[in-house]
């Protein structure tokens, strides 16, 4: 009973107010305050994106999305995500296998280093690759002589995106696999399964929802990243502009309808991500890592 | 301290399964395969993508020498940008500590229609691309925007293209950090202490300040620190609403971009290194503060 009153779940007919709860007017005030804050800070910007995108009508919206530069930006965004997300997926699985299934020295340091990109400013994430591969960078002259362009080209965009989305899959899988332990894998091996068989038939089915969760968040960030790719892109229209960069250019040209039209696609991506993420949490909460944040 | 440390090591060795436990092993033995493969891949990927590029940052700024580095990061424009970035991130993180706590409290303790939807909405700033948030906030708070116009007409308050606009963008970006760190702690808070306080005649306010607040304060500080750190580095959501006037509304990340566009690689690296250094020191201080609070609460 006390647990019920504390979590506030439906208690039938409370005749006397519990000593563990606040008076009704305080509750309403607090709920109202929180909802007002969220509506003002979170909901309104989201609504504004769609309102601004559609305020000249659907035709203008559609034209903005189908003009060649916008299409090129959408394609480039998909290409960059299609390379960087699988790369980080592979890394995330490998890293969580060695961290969660084995005990070795320096493990905590390794985990800290894997999380490092989250605490680096996006702009610095782009800057470091310019310092390495840019024309005045460490390998700049060498790359120029070889005729390889990384900065202001697609490889730079991919590298910067991989950096900012680096920890997503790993940090979802490591706690999950640590929680699950390795008893099932050991049993499979003892019964004669090979290492790969064990991995595909035992480990992957156990972690599949956590894997999907990590990939989902990784993809959302990969497609929406702005600061890091902005530094390495060079902003060449139709060539090195991803969707967020295209939004910036249109906005700075005062082409607000077009800017918000492209932005609305990214906002829809964010909404789909939130819906799938929430659905995963409700449906498979137990099969996701408990310690997510 | 030393005795405790060696005790822990001894305990660790005892729990190792084999008899060879006394050997200084790099890793505990295991029947599972793939250690070499996965560790090798992890380390090379980490090295190539993260460590080597970050080393390039340090290397480039150390090329300036100490006096050159100091000169590069203490020009009036850079110092002003430091003030803008750190000061406004602090203001936004404080706002988030208050309202993020309120949101977490309401989500954990009360029931209301649409609660699950609201709970899911809290993660929006994590999912929404920063550039989209940036132009949306800028449009809302511009002098002719939905919020900007009434604020301007009623109070003469200008938000977009002022420091206040930057603080609002940073509040948007940092909110989920506070909510998501405080929420689970609040959820797991055992009701017994509050019950005891109530039965001993404490008011709700006394129970709140004497029991609930001390218990969640470390989590609140963590959320504050995460929100603050995110704010210092934030770029996309800020530059549209900021106005970007040097010395007034120019943030550090933008200054790095400007230096890069002027091909001042060493200057950009120096500012980047200084920014990472200051954030690191501030997070270290917050961490120590948090440990101190934990030990105080535990007593």
């Amino acid at each position: 009973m006390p647990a019920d009153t504390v979590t506030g779940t439906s208690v039938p007919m409370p005749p006397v107010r519990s000593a563990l709860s606040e008076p009704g007017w305080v509750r309403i005030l607090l709920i109202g305050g929180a909802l007002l804050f969220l509506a003002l800070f979170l909901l309104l910007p989201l609504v504004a994106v769609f309102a601004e995108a559609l305020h000249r009508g659907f035709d203008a919206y559609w034209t903005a999305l189908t003009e060649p530069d916008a299409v090129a930006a959408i394609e480039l965004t998909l290409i960059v995500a299609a390379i960087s997300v699988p790369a980080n997926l592979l890394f995330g699985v490998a890293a969580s296998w060695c961290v969660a299934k084995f005990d070795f020295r320096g493990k905590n340091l390794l985990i800290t280093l894997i999380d490092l990109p989250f605490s680096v400013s996006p702009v610095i994430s782009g800057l470091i690759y310019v310092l390495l591969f840019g024309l005045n960078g460490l390998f700049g002259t060498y790359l120029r002589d070889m005729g390889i362009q990384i900065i202001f080209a697609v490889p730079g965009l991919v590298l910067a995106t991989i950096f900012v989305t680096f920890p997503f899959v790993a940090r979802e899988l490591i706690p999950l696999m640590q929680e699950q332990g390795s008893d099932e894998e050991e049993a499979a091996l003892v019964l004669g399964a090979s290492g790969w068989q064990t991995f595909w038939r035992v480990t992957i089915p156990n972690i599949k929802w956590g894997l999907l969760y990590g990939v989902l968040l990784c993809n959302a960030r990969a497609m929406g990243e702005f600061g890091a790719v902005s530094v390495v892109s060079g902003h060449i229209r139709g060539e090195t502009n991803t969707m967020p960069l295209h939004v910036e250019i249109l906005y700075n040209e005062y082409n607000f309808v077009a800017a918000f039209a492209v932005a609305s696609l990214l906002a829809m991506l964010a909404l789909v991500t939130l819906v799938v993420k929430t659905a995963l949490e409700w449906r498979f909460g137990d099969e996701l890592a408990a310690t997510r944040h | 301290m030393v005795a405790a440390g060696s005790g822990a090591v001894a305990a660790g060795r005892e729990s190792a399964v084999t008899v060879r436990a006394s050997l200084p092993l790099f890793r505990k033995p295991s029947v599972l395969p793939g250690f070499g493969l996965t560790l090798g891949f992890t380390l090379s990927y980490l090295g190539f993508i993260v460590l080597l590029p970050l080393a390039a940052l340090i290397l480039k700024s150390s090329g300036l020498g100490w006096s050159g580095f100091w000169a590069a990061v203490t020009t009036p424009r850079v110092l002003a940008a430091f003030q803008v970035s750190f000061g406004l991130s602090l203001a936004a993180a404080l706002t988030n500590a208050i309202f993020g706590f309120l949101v977490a409290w309401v989500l954990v303790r009360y029931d209301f229609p649409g609660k699950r939807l609201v709970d899911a909405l809290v993660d929006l700033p994590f999912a929404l691309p920063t550039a989209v948030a940036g132009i949306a906030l800028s449009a809302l708070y511009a002098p002719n925007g939905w919020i900007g116009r009434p604020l301007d007409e009623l109070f003469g308050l200008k938000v977009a293209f002022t420091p206040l606009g930057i603080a609002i963008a940073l509040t948007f970006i940092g909110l989920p950090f506070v909510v998501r760190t405080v929420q689970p702690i609040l959820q797991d808070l055992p009701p017994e202490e509050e019950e005891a306080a109530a039965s001993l005649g404490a008011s709700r306010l006394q129970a709140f300040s004497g029991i609930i607040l001390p218990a969640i304060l470390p989590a609140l500080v963590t959320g504050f620190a995460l929100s603050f750190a995110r704010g210092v580095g934030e770029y996309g959501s800020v530059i549209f609403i900021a106005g970007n006037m040097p010395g007034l509304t120019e943030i550090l990340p933008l200054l790095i971009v400007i230096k890069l566009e002027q091909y001042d690689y060493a200057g950009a690296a120096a500012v980047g290194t200084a920014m990472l250094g200051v954030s690191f020191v501030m997070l270290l201080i917050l961490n120590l503060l948090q440990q101190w609070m934990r030990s105080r609460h535990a007593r």
Side-chain angles (χ1 to χ4, degrees), chain A residues 2 8 20 22 38 41 88 91 94-95 97-98 102-105 121-122 129 162-163 166 189 226 231 251 270 277, chain B residues 25-28 31-33 35 38 42 45 49 53 99 110-111 118 123-124 127 138 147 172 195 204 233 236 260:
Chain A
L20 292 187
E22 290 73 46
L38 290 178
F41 271 81
N88 279 338
F91 163 74
W97 179 269
C98 83
F102 300 97
D103 262 328
F104 56 94
R105 289 190 187 178
S121 166
Y129 290 105
I162 289 182
F163 184 95
F166 189 85
L189 286 165
F226 176 71
V231 172
Y251 191 85
K277 172 179 169 297
Chain B
L25 287 174
F26 168 61
R27 71 173 173 105
K28 284 190 201 164
V31 292
L32 295 184
F35 178 72
T38 53
T42 301
Y45 193 79
I49 298 287
F99 284 96
Y110 303 146
D111 248 348
V118 173
D123 279 333
L124 181 73
S138 177
I147 305 179
F172 172 87
E195 283 168 2
R204 266 319 271 167
L260 267 181

Side-chain angles (χ1 to χ4, degrees), chain A residues 160-270:
Chain A
T161 305
I162 289 182
F163 184 95
V164 292
T165 57
F166 189 85
F168 276 104
V169 180
R171 71 151 27 189
E172 178 61 29
L173 287 187
I174 289 173
L176 177 65
M177 282 168 72
Q178 277 175 333
E179 239 170 70
Q180 290 177 344
S182 41
D183 295 349
E184 293 185 28
E185 280 85 358
E186 281 165 13
L189 286 165
V190 169
L191 292 172
S194 74
W196 284 112
Q197 279 175 325
T198 308
F199 174 72
W200 286 110
R201 302 231 178 131
V202 176
T203 310
I204 287 289
N206 275 341
I207 61 170
K208 58 176 187 281
W209 298 116
L211 202 67
L212 184 62
Y213 192 94
V215 166
L216 186 76
L217 298 186
C218 181
N219 179 63
R221 180 72 193 267
M223 290 191 174
E225 177 52 30
F226 176 71
V229 291
S230 158
V231 172
V232 295
S233 137
H235 304 277
I236 309 164
R237 273 187 106 124
E239 279 182 43
T240 61
N241 266 345
T242 60
M243 285 163 79
L245 299 176
H246 193 55
V247 168
E248 181 196 20
I249 289 188
L250 293 170
Y251 191 85
N252 287 342
E253 288 170 347
Y254 302 102
N255 192 350
F256 294 139
V257 169
F260 279 101
V262 180
S264 75
L265 288 185
L266 290 167
M268 278 188 254
L269 169 75

